[in-house]
Amino acid sequence: MQAKHKNPAQRKRTSAMQLELNNLRKTYLLPAPLLHRRGQGKPKTKQALAGVSLTLGPGLYGLLGPNGAGKSTLIGIITGGLAADSGKVLWCDRPAHGIAFRRVLGYMPQQQGLYDSYTGRRFLAYMAALKEITRAAVPGEVARVAAAVNLTDELDKRLAAYSGGMKQRFLLAAALLGDPKLLILDEPTAGLDPKERVRLRELLAGMAQDRIILVATHVVSDVESVATKVILLRAGKIVDAAPVPELIETYAPGSGLEDVYLNVFGEGDGK
């Protein structure tokens, strides 16, 4: 079978694929104690993002940082769940919002927001409808994404009967609906056994050739062997963003990415 070659226009679209984060800032107002509610004293704030700028092209990117570093806030802004105080998110040089952007975005949240009374098939069909996939295309899409996460034989069971790891894989399947060109995954391997972790790494590595995949995780091994670059985030600022060998050479010569993590972040919580 001969490989299908992309025409020049297709190659141009792929090479121009770009996610740009431009000076993103976000500050939260912390819950006020009684004195503050009565107008005494100044309210306290926490700066979650302090001017994050980054440009990503096709590839797989690991987002590493301790609790409180700003990972979830950054993901929330990219996916439209949060508004930045200032700065911009651009997709292919255009503001990343509206219907056109949602059609190219696949998002897997960390929390398992599933309908336990639904079967897996019904849940994926429902998510496909939300993504405006045509009714005629839904059965094929459901079958495709279920096979990708190794759950074809589980589609007609109710979600309440699924293990935590199976539910996690269904969230990933939902994110894959519509073949998104920008895939944002928040702790995608939580609850997965080692075999499924390996399958997920291989799946994402294969998909990253013609799309942008951002994986936020605490599990260094999830991205060490497959990431185009790893982004180190601490206290709302990017410490570094580089290929794994460069990070190892800079922060932990002769060691691995886990030692990079420990040397950069130590035992702190990112606050």
Side-chain angles (χ1 to χ4, degrees):
M1 180 181 296
Q2 290 184 338
K4 294 183 178 180
H5 297 285
K6 296 181 179 179
N7 62 41
Q10 289 175 317
R11 287 197 297 268
K12 184 176 181 180
R13 284 197 298 271
T14 300
S15 63
M17 190 185 301
Q18 181 173 282
L19 177 69
E20 181 181 350
L21 313 179
N22 188 354
N23 198 27
L24 295 178
R25 295 178 180 274
K26 181 68 175 180
T27 298
Y28 294 107
L29 183 64
L30 298 177
L34 182 60
L35 287 178
H36 292 169
R37 292 198 295 270
R38 292 176 176 174
Q40 302 177 31
K42 295 181 179 180
K44 293 184 178 181
T45 61
K46 173 179 171 57
Q47 189 172 40
L49 295 180
V52 169
S53 295
L54 196 65
T55 300
L56 306 179
L60 191 153
Y61 300 86
L63 179 61
L64 298 182
N67 292 330
K71 301 188 301 297
S72 294
T73 297
L74 181 59
I75 286 175
I77 292 173
I78 295 172
T79 58
L82 290 173
D85 295 336
S86 61
K88 296 180 180 180
V89 179
L90 302 176
W91 172 255
C92 299
D93 298 323
R94 296 182 179 182
H97 57 71
I99 294 175
F101 180 64
R102 289 198 297 272
R103 285 174 177 164
V104 302
L105 173 66
Y107 172 44
M108 177 184 174
Q110 184 175 358
Q111 288 77 25
Q112 295 183 355
L114 300 175
Y115 301 100
D116 282 349
S117 63
Y118 281 22
T119 64
R121 190 182 305 277
R122 184 183 178 192
F123 171 74
L124 291 177
Y126 171 71
M127 296 302 295
L130 293 181
K131 288 193 172 186
E132 300 180 334
I133 295 171
T134 64
R135 182 174 296 183
V138 167
E141 269 296 281
V142 169
R144 181 184 68 83
V145 299
V149 299
N150 197 29
L151 284 175
T152 299
D153 295 336
E154 312 294 337
L155 279 175
D156 295 309
K157 295 180 181 178
R158 293 190 182 276
L159 295 179
Y162 290 0
S163 67
M166 290 170 65
K167 289 181 178 180
Q168 195 76 354
R169 285 148 62 192
F170 258 103
L171 286 176
L172 175 58
L176 296 178
L177 288 165
D179 195 28
K181 293 304 179 185
L182 173 62
L183 197 56
I184 310 292
L185 310 178
D186 193 357
E187 301 290 349
T189 64
L192 298 188
D193 62 36
K195 183 178 179 180
E196 289 299 332
R197 285 180 183 271
V198 172
R199 288 190 77 258
L200 177 60
R201 284 201 300 269
E202 293 175 348
L203 172 66
L204 296 181
M207 294 175 61
Q209 302 301 314
D210 62 349
R211 73 198 72 217
I212 297 170
I213 303 175
L214 180 63
V215 180
T217 181
H218 284 89
V219 184
V220 172
S221 61
D222 284 348
V223 295
E224 182 168 15
S225 63
V226 294
T228 306
K229 288 184 179 180
V230 169
I231 303 155
L232 304 178
L233 188 69
R234 179 178 59 198
K237 298 180 180 180
I238 293 178
V239 177
D240 209 336
V244 171
E246 293 183 18
L247 293 177
I248 292 173
E249 182 64 26
T250 301
Y251 300 101
S255 299
L257 187 59
E258 185 171 333
D259 293 291
V260 171
Y261 186 101
L262 292 174
N263 290 343
V264 171
F265 301 121
E267 300 298 329
D269 61 3
K271 296 180 180 178

